[in-house]
Amino acid sequence: MLSSDDSDFRFSTGLQNHDEKKSLIKEHSLALSDSKLPRPSNLPPFSLDGPDKNVGKSPRKIITKSPSRARMMPGMSRIPSSNSPKGWSFDDFEHEYNAQQHSPDLRPLSTPRTPALSPRSSFSNLPLMSGMQHPMVQEAEDLLHKSLIYFRGKPIGTIAAIQDGTEEALNYNQVFVRDFVPSALAFLMKGEPEIVRNFLMKTLRLQAWEKRIDCFTLGEGVMPASFKVLHDPVRNTDTMIADFGESAIGRVAPVDSGFWWIILLRAYGRATGDHTLADHPDIQRGIILILQLCLADGFDTFPTLLCADGCCMIDRRMGIYGYPIEIQALFYHALRCAKQMLKPEGEGKDFLERVDKRLYALTFHMRNYFWLDHSSLNNIYRYKTEEYSETAVNKFNVIPDSIPDWVMDFMPRKGGYFIGNVSPARMDFRWFAIGNCMAIISSLATTEQANMIMDLIEARWDELVGEMPMKATYPALEGHEWRLITGCDPKNTRWSYHNGGSWPVISWMLTAAAIKVGRPHVAKKAVDLLEEVLGKDGWPEYYDGKSGQFIGKQARKNQTWSVTGYLVAKMLLEDPSHLGLISLEEDKKAAKPQLTRSVSWNGFMNL
Ligand code: GLC
């Protein structure tokens, strides 16, 4: 274990004296004033870490004497990486950013300014939800309130599941980045942006840790899967522990966290009208570090992102290694959000160009090669094999015999979807709900494709939704396939958990997607199903069974993202204008699908 001194954590400014640090702060003030944000004088010492008593002392002393800085995991270096441009400390950023927000002159007019949540603040007093009469709404609000996690008195996230004392906490007592997304959306929709801003800034600090697993150092831009806050009642200090994959089952790093962070950053800007956060150099740097990871040159022949199994919501072995649809949809979404927020200056300019190029190729690839409908399935069924790629129709040399029987029955004449994975000689035909819903929300799917996905959901409602919206994957892996693909995972047995289990949280994405394609009745049907059982059943994490009719075998109760999945779906239905927080319009200039056999290769060459 680390000693208490070892556990101290502080950004290394790399600066030797206070004057040097001061001159950088001045430089930053100038940068900010360039963007029409004069630095206010007499900044109040207000930041997430509390007043910095060490201001004015040598940075070196700050590094060694600060007793309650966030703690690191064993095996992690205590020297943070150079996330802050020019070695500027993140504390300075928080300090300056928060000070700006406290200056009345600098508040965007459109920003709803509600007081920061205090441990005593109550959601039930807030006006936005008061119109919702269903008793589950009140219960959900109370649970969301109970799930809040504080760091030095400020709310910074929501716990994955509220413990009832009967179960081992495992890692459900942590704030998961992906789980916090629907909580964040609920707060933004309610006009409570503070917690989201705190979360975005705090996770950016965590990104700057040097992340090491055994002797291997992870990429600078990796965002944590989760973090927790430890409170020491004797010293009255809070410390933070983050997991970048080293504690996760199978040691897999989350690829989705950074993407969700970017998507949330945009949502925060949309909800508050406050773009000073996204514009800040440290946040800009955070975006660039994430992009650096996923736009890096390698041996790739595809614009999709190559990932390990378990790197997203499905965080254990389920045969999604390769190019899983969930990650590709989030990748696309995050690239488009980054494009809106990156400033065309310095590194940002270069990255904007790289983002554009990647988006163009990714859009083409996904809309053509991942897309499956009745006619493309028929084409694949009749594929020839062993063609050389320049002239090939069957570009990935997929063997028609590998088409599973179920997909031939499952595919309606009207409808289609993005399949789970495409790589050489491998098409994973399984349905993945998050990837498809996010493809609609982000407009990775064309309007026509989005409508076809919704056609399929409606045509296959019994299979994909049944009694609980909605199955994460379909169909379930069974028997030999389950043994081989999951490694005999006892949690992912057929029609359970990630393997055909039903997750209430997906309801918010289904609702957003349904509203976007102009079918609120689909969203309403899903919310009605939730209201029949979710509250009575104690807000389980997931349901099991072919129709989602049983509470999941090992499902946690009072799972926060089940609660917020319901709340966000409900709020979206009440006020569809909230969709703008998360949804992107179709980019009409993007590569159009070329689905006919004869033009596919030439079409690509001519793009
Ligand atoms: C499970 C889910 C994962 C989620 C975590 C916390 O591990 O698979 O997606 O983030 O629980 O709720």
Side-chain angles (χ1 to χ4, degrees):
M1 276 312 279
L2 300 163
S3 73
S4 64
D5 264 349
D6 283 334
S7 73
D8 293 345
F9 174 74
R10 176 81 178 170
F11 273 69
S12 164
T13 62
L15 301 177
Q16 301 308 308
N17 59 57
H18 185 57
D19 287 345
E20 208 177 336
K21 191 178 174 197
K22 251 169 59 185
S23 78
L24 277 184
I25 293 176
K26 210 168 143 206
E27 238 179 83
H28 271 259
S29 316
L30 288 176
L32 284 163
S33 60
D34 281 341
S35 54
K36 312 266 181 302
L37 287 171
R39 181 179 162 81
S41 55
N42 305 325
L43 300 180
F46 170 63
S47 83
L48 261 187
D49 284 345
D52 193 341
K53 298 188 189 70
N54 294 310
V55 166
K57 293 183 190 163
S58 137
R60 289 225 155 186
K61 277 188 192 140
I62 296 172
I63 294 164
T64 51
K65 291 274 163 55
S66 164
S68 54
R69 295 291 161 193
R71 212 175 96 184
M72 284 169 292
M73 290 301 293
M76 282 187 171
S77 162
R78 65 193 300 273
I79 303 167
S81 59
S82 54
N83 191 348
S84 295
K86 302 167 199 155
W88 206 49
S89 143
F90 195 92
D91 278 353
D92 295 328
F93 161 42
E94 285 185 10
H95 183 83
E96 177 164 342
Y97 179 79
N98 284 321
Q100 283 166 17
Q101 300 312 301
H102 281 233
S103 158
D105 300 333
L106 296 170
R107 285 177 198 164
L109 286 176
S110 57
T111 308
R113 304 301 305 183
T114 40
L117 288 168
S118 77
R120 289 162 301 284
S121 81
S122 161
F123 287 88
S124 45
N125 297 332
L126 293 166
L128 210 88
M129 290 186 197
S130 57
M132 301 176 193
Q133 292 310 314
H134 198 283
M136 261 173 67
V137 172
Q138 184 61 56
E139 202 189 327
E141 289 179 18
D142 292 345
L143 286 169
L144 180 57
H145 183 227
K146 281 191 197 142
S147 74
L148 289 171
I149 293 287
Y150 293 83
F151 184 74
R152 299 183 186 157
K154 300 215 168 290
I156 51 157
T158 49
I159 200 167
I162 299 165
Q163 305 302 305
D164 62 4
T166 61
E167 284 166 318
E168 213 188 321
L170 300 176
N171 56 357
Y172 286 87
N173 57 1
Q174 309 214 5
V175 179
F176 279 75
V177 171
R178 72 177 72 87
D179 293 41
F180 182 67
V181 172
S183 300
L185 293 176
F187 285 115
L188 293 177
M189 289 175 186
K190 280 157 35 62
E192 286 268 348
E194 322 295 339
I195 185 173
V196 182
R197 193 186 67 215
N198 294 344
F199 171 88
L200 289 166
M201 297 205 292
K202 212 70 207 166
T203 40
L204 186 72
R205 283 191 63 144
L206 297 175
Q207 181 198 42
W209 286 16
E210 187 176 310
K211 295 142 287 212
R212 203 177 291 157
I213 301 187
D214 293 337
C215 317
F216 185 70
T217 307
L218 271 67
E220 240 186 305
V222 177
M223 281 279 182
S226 61
F227 61 85
K228 68 176 159 190
V229 176
L230 296 181
H231 182 69
D232 178 344
V234 179
R235 293 164 70 203
N236 197 22
T237 54
D238 285 342
T239 52
M240 213 164 205
I241 296 184
D243 173 28
F244 294 88
E246 71 278 10
S247 329
I249 289 173
R251 277 200 162 176
V252 65
V255 177
D256 61 343
S257 289
F259 296 151
W260 280 123
W261 185 85
I262 291 177
I263 294 166
L264 207 51
L265 181 63
R266 174 184 169 271
Y268 171 83
R270 300 273 300 182
T272 59
D274 168 16
H275 300 292
T276 56
L277 182 67
D279 282 351
H280 195 282
D282 285 359
I283 293 274
Q284 290 279 312
R285 178 88 187 125
I287 299 173
I288 285 175
L289 285 178
I290 296 168
L291 295 179
Q292 227 161 36
L293 281 178
C294 53
L295 298 178
D297 290 335
F299 290 98
D300 307 290
T301 45
F302 312 131
T304 34
L305 202 61
L306 184 61
C307 306
D309 219 338
C311 62
C312 50
M313 179 270 184
I314 298 178
D315 56 2
R316 46 209 287 150
R317 193 172 149 193
M318 262 293 287
I320 64 157
Y321 59 89
Y323 306 90
I325 179 64
E326 178 178 335
I327 290 296
Q328 311 315 319
L330 291 175
F331 181 29
Y332 173 87
H333 199 159
L335 287 182
R336 287 199 57 198
C337 292
K339 196 176 150 177
Q340 291 182 5
M341 295 184 295
L342 266 185
K343 289 168 126 185
E345 303 160 357
E347 271 189 307
K349 191 161 174 278
D350 172 45
F351 272 91
L352 275 171
E353 278 167 26
R354 290 169 70 181
V355 164
D356 260 340
K357 279 192 194 148
R358 190 61 169 257
L359 272 173
Y360 194 59
L362 181 66
T363 309
F364 177 87
H365 186 95
M366 295 302 299
R367 289 181 180 173
N368 286 281
Y369 304 135
F370 273 66
W371 181 253
L372 194 75
D373 56 24
H374 190 275
S375 126
S376 61
L377 179 58
N378 208 158
N379 287 345
I380 298 166
Y381 178 67
R382 289 163 52 77
Y383 266 169
K384 293 193 188 70
T385 56
E386 312 300 322
E387 297 172 301
Y388 286 98
S389 185
E390 281 87 351
T391 52
V393 171
N394 180 4
K395 294 195 172 58
F396 305 101
N397 198 34
V398 174
I399 317 292
D401 276 355
S402 69
I403 301 175
D405 288 345
W406 68 263
V407 78
M408 306 296 277
D409 302 328
F410 178 72
M411 182 59 77
R413 283 225 169 241
K414 192 172 162 234
Y417 65 105
F418 290 103
I419 62 170
N421 220 305
V422 177
S423 59
R426 176 176 175 235
M427 288 180 108
D428 180 349
F429 290 93
R430 278 177 296 170
W431 157 267
F432 288 83
I434 297 182
N436 275 280
C437 291
M438 289 313 290
I440 296 178
I441 295 166
S442 64
S443 288
L444 170 60
T446 61
T447 307
E448 194 190 352
Q449 286 173 331
N451 272 290
M452 287 173 82
I453 296 171
M454 211 43 75
D455 287 340
L456 178 120
I457 291 175
E458 289 203 78
R460 295 288 174 250
W461 187 261
D462 290 347
E463 290 89 340
L464 300 178
V465 176
E467 295 184 28
M468 176 51 58
M470 110 176 281
K471 283 200 180 63
T473 56
Y474 178 89
L477 302 166
E478 306 191 42
H480 182 58
E481 222 181 2
W482 165 77
R483 275 191 290 278
L484 211 64
I485 293 176
T486 71
C488 301
D489 186 344
K491 211 167 169 185
N492 272 332
T493 50
R494 70 189 189 289
W495 307 114
S496 180
Y497 203 45
H498 305 131
N499 187 13
S502 302
W503 293 68
V505 62
I506 304 176
S507 302
W508 82 257
M509 298 183 216
L510 175 62
T511 301
I515 292 174
K516 183 160 178 181
V517 299
R519 300 191 207 181
H521 64 272
V522 175
K524 172 84 175 53
K525 231 168 112 182
V527 169
D528 286 349
L529 284 174
L530 292 176
E531 289 183 340
E532 261 172 51
V533 291
L534 195 60
K536 273 186 242 148
D537 290 345
W539 309 89
E541 181 186 12
Y542 64 96
Y543 283 77
D544 286 356
K546 262 191 171 174
S547 309
Q549 69 274 45
F550 298 109
I551 297 173
K553 211 174 6 184
Q554 293 187 41
R556 294 279 149 160
K557 296 287 184 75
N558 296 326
Q559 181 83 14
T560 305
W561 71 356
S562 297
V563 171
T564 49
Y566 166 70
L567 276 181
V568 172
K570 193 86 178 158
M571 285 193 270
L572 278 167
L573 265 176
E574 282 228 333
D575 180 359
S577 73
H578 288 315
L579 191 60
L581 293 183
I582 194 82
S583 162
L584 297 168
E585 288 302 310
E586 189 174 348
D587 178 1
K588 299 281 182 205
K589 287 188 295 234
K592 290 271 173 250
Q594 313 253 339
L595 293 174
T596 56
R597 297 178 128 228
S598 51
V599 293
S600 54
W601 176 255
N602 291 337
F604 188 47
M605 295 300 283
N606 292 334
L607 279 172

